[in-house]
Amino acid sequence: MKFTSALRSGVAVAALGLALSGCAQSSTAAKTNAGDAGDAGIKTVKVFISGDTNIQSLWEKDLGPAFEKANPGYRVQVQIDLHGEHDAQTLAKLTSSVEQKKDADFDLVDGGFVSKASGASLLEKVDTSSVKALADIPADVVKAGGQGGIPYRGSSVLLAYDTKTVAAPPKTLDELLEWIKANPGRFTYNSPKSGGSGAAFAATVLDKYVPADARQKMTVGYEKDLESTWDQGFETLRGLNPYVYQKGVYPNGNKQTLELLASGQISMAPVWSDQFLTGSANGTIPASVKAAQITGPSFTGGAAYLGVPVNSPNKEAALRLANFVLQPEQQAEIVKEISGYPAISIGRLPADIRDRFANADTNNLRKGYFDQMSKDMNNLWDQKVPGQ
């Protein structure tokens, strides 16, 4: 199993902006005897992360040290903009650095707007000649990140269910909607604004009624005039109020949804694949709780992309690191450490890792809405669904 045509998304850039604004945190993945980053003979790759601390830990404790060990003379230095709070600012400053032909102060980026940076010609164009490992990733997934995007991990929203109370889980969206009404109080999802798993459920219900050509436009740009196609979906969501947990209680965030499921207060809910797999592994989610993907349509998911700024003075080193991250050993580490989906063919990974994705259909993942479309959807959900 691997990412396919249905799996597209965008991901991140930044560092010059944070170097100027002082909002980035920096550290070196591993110490060497060579001294500081500027020491002769040492090639330092500055990795900028726009994301959470689990991704920072992945780079600092796993990917960075492994790269340094396999590539003597190279060093990985990590900076982070926690939760991507300064994405817009950083992208603007990256643009400015390219226009002024100055160093962006980072060489490889991992975050939420790589596709935007790629589309603006801010990233080095990549193909199998510069990143050989891309040959093991479907071309349409690579294309989704733009000419400069390098897919290296992913996740999706799944339908989690407690086998103690659910003998036969729904396999399609229609079956899920029927199950919710037939089992009042046993299902819920977090408010879309508070977390992606709830947003994915809401978007999937909306998509049941949205024409394919309209939806495609809403995944790549801001098409406010097409939001009228959501009307029937919002009516369906509003109609579920009497049947969800406590007749209309929507948790605040992905974590609260998982807690309700783990405690047995509900029997079914949409959850993020990485959070579910991590919780299953560490015991916070009972063994009786399983998860699978639905169809007709499926829940949304996506790839995370790396990018090399076109003005980086260390392109060779950055591309070497990107190719290294796509090797089976590092892909397996991503699965183990953050429960991310591998970007390369899952057949190239150990059997125990392949088993972790036995019920997570990575071949049926759909791209989410364009950022501004998602924000409008979340606001409209607040207005149209709860308490109606």
Side-chain angles (χ1 to χ4, degrees), residues 96-111:
S96 177
S97 74
V98 172
E99 291 174 346
Q100 297 176 25
K101 298 182 179 180
K102 295 181 178 179
D103 184 356
D105 198 34
F106 59 91
D107 307 300
L108 189 70
V109 292
D110 175 4

Side-chain angles (χ1 to χ4, degrees), residues 56-370:
Q56 179 185 15
S57 179
L58 174 70
W59 280 101
E60 290 183 346
K61 297 181 179 180
D62 298 293
L63 300 180
F67 178 74
E68 293 175 353
K69 183 177 180 180
N71 296 270
Y74 288 82
R75 178 179 299 164
V76 176
Q77 190 178 72
V78 177
Q79 301 175 8
I80 183 170
D81 175 21
L82 191 60
H83 307 309
E85 293 180 357
H86 305 87
D87 276 356
Q89 177 186 359
T90 308
L91 184 58
K93 291 182 177 180
L94 172 60
T95 302
S96 177
S97 74
V98 172
E99 291 174 346
Q100 297 176 25
K101 298 182 179 180
K102 295 181 178 179
D103 184 356
D105 198 34
F106 59 91
D107 307 300
L108 189 70
V109 292
D110 175 4
F113 54 93
V114 162
S115 295
K116 291 182 181 179
S118 180
S121 300
L122 302 176
L123 302 181
E124 185 76 5
K125 293 180 180 179
V126 293
D127 55 29
T128 53
S129 65
S130 56
V131 183
K132 292 182 180 179
L134 288 176
D136 196 36
I137 302 173
D140 54 356
V141 180
V142 177
K143 183 179 179 181
Q147 293 182 316
I150 305 168
Y152 87 104
R153 61 179 172 84
S155 61
S156 72
V157 172
L158 302 172
L159 180 66
Y161 57 95
D162 192 339
T163 56
K164 291 181 178 179
T165 52
V166 182
K171 295 182 178 180
T172 68
L173 177 61
D174 283 342
E175 289 179 4
L176 173 56
L177 295 175
E178 291 175 3
W179 189 95
I180 294 169
K181 292 183 177 180
N183 297 271
R186 303 305 300 171
F187 172 91
T188 194
Y189 61 101
N190 57 273
S191 59
K193 193 176 289 184
S194 70
S197 61
F201 175 77
T204 300
V205 173
L206 299 184
D207 288 344
K208 173 178 168 62
Y209 308 100
V210 176
D213 59 339
R215 186 184 190 279
Q216 195 282 328
K217 292 178 181 178
M218 289 192 284
T219 63
V220 296
Y222 188 39
E223 303 285 346
K224 190 171 182 61
D225 291 345
L226 294 178
E227 292 179 3
S228 60
T229 62
W230 289 341
D231 290 348
Q232 191 170 356
F234 277 123
E235 289 181 12
T236 298
L237 290 168
R238 184 167 55 247
L240 294 178
N241 278 337
Y243 306 100
V244 301
Y245 179 62
Q246 294 186 354
K247 296 183 178 181
V249 172
Y250 300 93
N252 181 29
N254 306 310
K255 186 173 181 290
Q256 284 191 10
T257 303
L258 278 170
E259 289 171 350
L260 287 174
L261 187 61
S263 64
Q265 296 182 67
I266 58 174
S267 299
M268 193 178 295
V271 300
W272 274 115
S273 58
D274 52 354
Q275 291 182 324
F276 174 79
L277 291 169
T278 298
S280 297
N282 64 27
T284 58
I285 296 177
S288 63
V289 178
K290 307 297 182 182
Q293 186 57 268
I294 63 169
T295 61
S298 64
F299 290 133
T300 52
Y305 292 82
L306 303 174
V308 178
V310 71
N311 53 337
S312 165
N314 300 309
K315 294 177 185 177
E316 179 274 334
L319 291 170
R320 179 189 288 257
L321 175 56
N323 194 70
F324 177 81
V325 168
L326 289 174
Q327 301 310 305
E329 294 82 1
Q330 280 57 250
Q331 290 285 290
E333 202 64 27
I334 288 171
V335 174
K336 292 176 182 177
E337 294 302 320
I338 63 169
S339 296
Y341 284 2
I344 65 173
S345 171
I346 200 159
R348 297 185 61 197
L349 301 181
D352 63 322
I353 289 179
R354 294 198 300 270
D355 291 344
R356 294 183 69 172
F357 296 98
N359 294 318
D361 188 356
T362 59
N363 292 317
N364 281 304
L365 303 179
R366 299 182 306 116
K367 183 179 179 182
Y369 285 119
F370 186 70

Side-chain angles (χ1 to χ4, degrees), residues 23-46:
C23 54
Q25 300 175 13
S26 178
S27 62
T28 301
K31 302 294 184 181
T32 71
N33 294 324
D36 295 333
D39 285 357
I42 295 293
K43 297 181 180 179
T44 298
V45 185
K46 297 178 181 179

